[in-house]
Amino acid sequence: MATMARTNTGLAYPDRFYAAASYAGFGGSPNSANKDVASKFSNEVALILYALYQQATVGPCNVPKPSPWSPVEQRKWKSWQQLGNMVSAEAMRLFVKILEEEDPGWYSRTSNSVESVRDVQMNHNSNGEPIIENGNSFAETKTISAENGSLMEAQDKDIVLEGLGPVVVYDQWVSPPIKGQRPKARYEHGAAVVQDKMYIYGGNHNGRYLSDLNVLDLRSWTWSKVEASIESKSEESPSPVNIAPCAGHSLIPWENKLLSIAGHTKDPSETIQIKAFDLQTGTWSILKTYGKAPVSRGGQSVTLVGSTLVIFGGQDAKRTLLNDLHILDLETMTWDDFDAVGVPPSPRSDHAAAVHAERYLLIFGGGSHATCFNDLHVLDLQAMEWSRPTQQGEIPSPRAGHAGVTVGENWFIVGGGDNKSGASETVVLNMSTLVWSVVTSVEGRVPLASEGLSLVVGSISGEDILVSFGGYNGRYNNEVNVLKPSHKSTLQSKMMEAPAPDSVSAVRNATNPTRDLESDFEVGQEGKIREIVVDNNDSERMKSKGEETSELIIATLKAEKEELESSLNKEKLQSLQLREELTQAETRNTDLYKELQSIRGQLAAEQSRCFKLEVDVAELRQKLQTMETLQKELELLQRQKAASEQASLNAKQRQGSGGVWGWLAGSPPQNADDA
């Protein structure tokens, strides 16, 4: 490689830019870059450096606008877009200039390591033999072209990973030298990486649900068990919090917590619970949520998109398969469910999900009670529309219980099975082109061909690594395997986690190029950048203008920061007022509930008295009917008596009349006995 021209302050461009970017925290894995940049600079400066780094390495912003659910990502996207068509060379110089203003001694602190690497590259012989420096062997490297036309370096031979000890290669699984007490073998556990530490929580071992929390230091490869405590009471109930053992849950890092979402338990709750482990206090708690929570389940997918969790599918406690879609806003802890248009995936569990460009949710594979799938579905989170695109390349076999992680625009899938055998291939999907390819394969019944294993992405020496743990393939596993992928992270995925100002409207006007640089990149036949010829006078002018533009940018952003802080204070005040109103409403609700209970008690007493009155009325009605009957009988007897008396009177009258006429006729009177 030809020697590049140097300026009087050290490395020449673009080497100086790449050294500055590496020092600032760019160029490694997205997670490590985010933390480095956020820790070294203020939010405003970090935003400017991010936008200039994207402009210098990728070019003008042409990626889709992020989802409105992720305002932070929208601000980063907007800051990059407002740089317009600024040329790469100017973005590089402005990046270095701002870094020198923020940290004047950055180059002196990194010059030794930069020069060492540079000397190794220049002294590399043409025969491709390893270079020996300070007793260390550096393997030969080669440059390969990426699909988007940019260059990326890949190791051609063996390399040594920090802390791994044994020699490994790209795209091959290896077992690191593990120290410490390994966790119990398991599958269907949760795994997450926070600050170079992999946390493992819960899982299933021999049909028993687990609740232990273990951590693996990815720098020393040492296991340790986390002695966690439980909060004595939660926001919902003064009774002790019950953190039940679980499996089939999802573990998501959020702020300074690990969130355990859903999962199967021995005594399942009616709805999904959100358990939180505070990494600072070492305590478990159950978070209170609002809205209609989804039914409890396990084997679902949980994807973090900005500040929201997207939950899809799974299997409930009655073994009913689901394909519903729910969203939890982590800022307000409010649930919401969506009915997206289009044809959703069929009900399933133990599938994999990933998000691309903060907009598209991808669902792959999974299983039902009868079969396993290898279909791919995409949900547009802005249009809320399902689609089933055509897959290309080496499409994976049907599987469930697999694990996946994203590195840039590449989605790596490991393990899984079809209830007959485990999937031996480690595959990767380019989420931009939807082309599958096989990374590597394993042979035999090994943990990497298991169901229910976990897969996370970590970083060693600024490069991404995939770390798998556990699984079940006829036996329970607790092995750790590591793969260093040659598929590099896309630059657009390297975004900072620190909050950024809402607007950088002055960046575009302040940094819009008004001159043509009298320097050019001479590109050789292999596409490598060889030399930059810089005109010193133009460089001085650029330096002066760069100072002006950077000062203007910082002043503008500071003003906007003050406006945002004012708006934030207003929002906080409004939020406080709303919380007070909510507290008052809850108090009123409690009083009304008590009053309702009192009224219900009074109503029950009145109903009882009413029932007794109805019984008395029924008895009185019966007596009244009896009296009416007696009255009728009395009237009948009275009529009979009257008739009898009338008949007796008539008889007497007839007797008196017969005696007179008989006497006149000479008849003798009759005795009373004869009559």
Side-chain angles (χ1 to χ4, degrees):
M1 179 182 293
T3 303
M4 297 183 183
R6 294 177 181 267
T7 65
N8 56 0
T9 56
L11 291 175
Y13 288 93
D15 285 356
R16 188 174 183 83
F17 163 74
Y18 288 119
S22 177
Y23 174 81
F26 294 93
S29 68
N31 292 334
S32 62
N34 292 341
K35 297 181 180 64
D36 291 344
V37 176
S39 62
K40 291 181 179 179
F41 306 101
S42 64
N43 295 339
E44 298 89 342
V45 176
L47 178 66
I48 299 172
L49 293 177
Y50 159 74
L52 292 172
Y53 179 81
Q54 296 294 89
Q55 192 78 8
T57 55
V58 181
C61 178
N62 57 4
V63 299
K65 187 176 182 180
S67 167
W69 298 336
S70 181
V72 173
E73 302 302 327
Q74 279 191 328
R75 293 163 189 162
K76 297 171 185 173
W77 176 86
K78 189 175 182 180
S79 66
W80 181 15
Q81 185 192 46
Q82 288 179 336
L83 292 180
N85 296 321
M86 176 188 288
V87 296
S88 176
E90 184 176 359
M92 289 182 181
R93 296 183 184 280
L94 190 54
F95 182 99
V96 174
K97 178 61 180 176
I98 293 176
L99 178 60
E100 289 176 346
E101 291 178 352
E102 294 295 322
D103 191 352
W106 74 270
Y107 184 76
S108 62
R109 287 192 289 272
T110 59
S111 59
N112 292 335
S113 59
V114 172
E115 295 300 323
S116 176
V117 173
R118 179 178 173 80
D119 292 340
V120 169
Q121 293 177 347
M122 290 191 300
N123 294 331
H124 194 289
N125 58 42
S126 59
N127 296 329
E129 298 177 355
I131 303 299
I132 305 298
E133 173 144 340
N134 297 329
N136 296 324
S137 175
F138 295 86
E140 178 185 359
T141 62
K142 67 178 181 180
T143 302
I144 59 176
S145 61
E147 293 182 1
N148 59 4
S150 62
L151 298 179
M152 60 182 181
E153 291 185 352
Q155 199 83 11
D156 190 35
K157 296 184 179 180
D158 293 345
I159 60 167
V160 178
L161 289 182
E162 173 188 345
L164 287 181
V167 176
V168 297
V169 294
Y170 280 102
D171 296 335
Q172 294 294 327
W173 288 102
V174 297
S175 297
I178 298 297
K179 295 178 288 185
Q181 181 65 38
R182 292 174 182 259
K184 181 179 292 185
R186 67 193 67 199
Y187 82 123
E188 292 185 340
H189 50 277
V193 170
V194 178
Q195 295 180 350
D196 295 329
K197 293 182 179 180
M198 179 177 72
Y199 291 85
I200 300 294
Y201 170 64
N204 189 325
H205 177 79
N206 289 335
R208 295 180 58 188
Y209 297 140
L210 305 175
S211 61
D212 56 336
L213 180 63
N214 298 272
V215 59
L216 175 65
D217 192 320
L218 299 181
R219 293 168 296 183
S220 62
W221 300 102
T222 303
W223 279 110
S224 59
K225 185 175 181 179
V226 179
E227 298 298 333
S229 59
I230 300 176
E231 285 189 354
S232 59
K233 58 181 66 178
S234 67
E235 297 178 3
E236 298 176 337
S237 173
S239 60
V241 176
N242 180 25
I243 305 297
C246 61
H249 52 286
S250 302
L251 196 64
I252 303 293
W254 172 250
E255 295 180 342
N256 63 335
K257 295 181 177 65
L258 292 175
L259 303 183
S260 176
I261 299 98
H264 296 299
T265 58
K266 183 179 180 181
D267 298 314
S269 59
E270 293 184 0
T271 58
I272 286 180
Q273 284 190 338
I274 308 297
K275 296 180 286 189
F277 178 76
D278 193 310
L279 294 170
Q280 294 180 349
T281 63
T283 57
W284 281 104
S285 62
I286 296 180
L287 300 183
K288 183 178 181 180
T289 60
Y290 303 91
K292 184 179 179 182
V295 64
S296 63
R297 66 193 67 196
Q300 71 291 324
S301 62
V302 179
T303 310
L304 181 63
V305 183
S307 60
T308 60
L309 295 179
V310 182
I311 293 90
F312 173 78
Q315 180 176 269
D316 65 14
K318 299 179 181 178
R319 300 189 72 247
T320 301
L321 293 169
L322 307 168
N323 66 342
D324 50 348
L325 184 70
H326 300 269
I327 291 178
L328 175 64
D329 188 329
L330 294 177
E331 299 289 349
T332 62
M333 296 304 295
T334 303
W335 286 103
D336 202 354
D337 55 349
F338 288 89
D339 293 326
V341 299
V343 180
S346 59
R348 65 190 64 199
S349 66
D350 299 326
H351 51 279
V355 64
H356 176 53
E358 294 294 312
R359 174 172 178 175
Y360 302 101
L361 179 71
L362 285 74
I363 304 291
F364 171 73
S368 66
H369 297 313
T371 186
C372 294
F373 309 105
N374 66 341
D375 49 354
L376 179 67
H377 297 262
V378 178
L379 173 65
D380 187 330
L381 293 172
Q382 289 187 3
M384 294 307 295
E385 180 177 4
W386 284 106
S387 62
R388 186 174 177 179
T390 301
Q391 305 178 68
Q392 301 179 16
E394 302 174 85
I395 300 176
S397 58
R399 64 191 66 192
H402 47 286
V405 293
T406 58
V407 180
E409 63 180 5
N410 297 312
W411 187 17
F412 292 87
I413 301 292
V414 177
D418 57 2
N419 295 324
K420 298 178 182 178
S421 61
S424 59
E425 308 90 4
T426 297
V427 296
V428 61
L429 174 69
N430 185 300
M431 293 185 289
S432 296
T433 62
L434 297 182
V435 176
W436 288 99
S437 58
V438 175
V439 178
T440 186
S441 296
V442 295
E443 297 181 358
R445 184 169 287 186
V446 296
L448 290 164
S450 299
E451 297 183 20
L453 76 168
S454 63
L455 185 68
V456 297
V457 59
S459 175
I460 290 183
S461 300
E463 293 190 275
D464 298 311
I465 58 170
L466 309 184
V467 184
S468 73
F469 172 78
Y472 178 78
N473 59 355
R475 70 179 185 88
Y476 297 90
N477 300 297
N478 61 351
E479 297 184 17
V480 176
N481 289 280
V482 179
L483 180 142
K484 186 173 184 181
S486 59
H487 298 266
K488 299 299 182 182
S489 305
T490 53
L491 292 173
Q492 68 186 45
S493 69
K494 302 180 185 298
M495 295 186 176
M496 297 166 291
E497 295 177 353
D502 184 46
S503 172
V504 286
S505 57
V507 172
R508 183 172 183 177
N509 295 331
T511 59
N512 190 36
T514 57
R515 62 195 180 281
D516 295 330
L517 296 177
E518 296 179 4
S519 63
D520 62 316
F521 293 94
E522 180 177 322
V523 181
Q525 294 180 350
E526 297 178 353
K528 298 181 179 179
I529 302 174
R530 295 185 178 277
E531 186 176 4
I532 301 177
V533 180
V534 182
D535 183 90
N536 292 331
N537 294 332
D538 188 58
S539 177
E540 291 298 326
R541 291 196 305 272
M542 185 185 303
K543 181 177 180 180
S544 176
K545 292 183 178 180
E547 293 177 354
E548 296 175 359
T549 54
S550 62
E551 292 175 356
L552 178 58
I553 293 172
I554 293 175
T556 303
L557 291 176
K558 285 182 178 179
E560 292 184 354
K561 177 188 175 183
E562 294 177 356
E563 294 178 2
L564 287 172
E565 287 178 346
S566 176
S567 300
L568 180 61
N569 291 333
K570 293 180 181 178
E571 292 294 333
K572 287 182 177 179
L573 179 61
Q574 185 178 2
S575 176
L576 181 61
Q577 293 175 349
L578 291 175
R579 288 188 178 182
E580 291 178 353
E581 293 177 0
L582 178 61
T583 302
Q584 295 175 359
E586 290 178 347
T587 303
R588 289 196 301 271
N589 184 45
T590 302
D591 295 339
L592 290 174
Y593 180 76
K594 292 180 180 179
E595 184 177 352
L596 176 61
Q597 292 297 101
S598 176
I599 293 174
R600 284 179 176 175
Q602 296 175 6
L603 180 60
E606 291 296 326
Q607 287 178 339
S608 177
R609 192 170 68 86
C610 182
F611 176 74
K612 292 180 180 179
L613 290 175
E614 288 179 350
V615 173
D616 294 341
V617 169
E619 292 178 352
L620 291 174
R621 284 180 178 176
Q622 187 175 3
K623 291 180 180 180
L624 180 61
Q625 290 177 355
T626 303
M627 292 179 63
E628 290 177 351
T629 303
L630 292 174
Q631 181 68 29
K632 290 179 181 180
E633 291 179 355
L634 178 62
E635 291 176 355
L636 179 60
L637 290 174
Q638 288 177 348
R639 286 196 299 269
Q640 289 177 352
K641 180 181 177 183
S644 176
E645 291 177 350
Q646 184 66 34
S648 177
L649 180 62
N650 292 337
K652 288 180 179 181
Q653 290 178 353
R654 284 196 302 269
Q655 287 180 356
S657 172
V660 175
W661 290 104
W663 177 76
L664 292 176
S667 298
Q670 298 178 352
N671 295 327
D673 295 335
D674 295 337

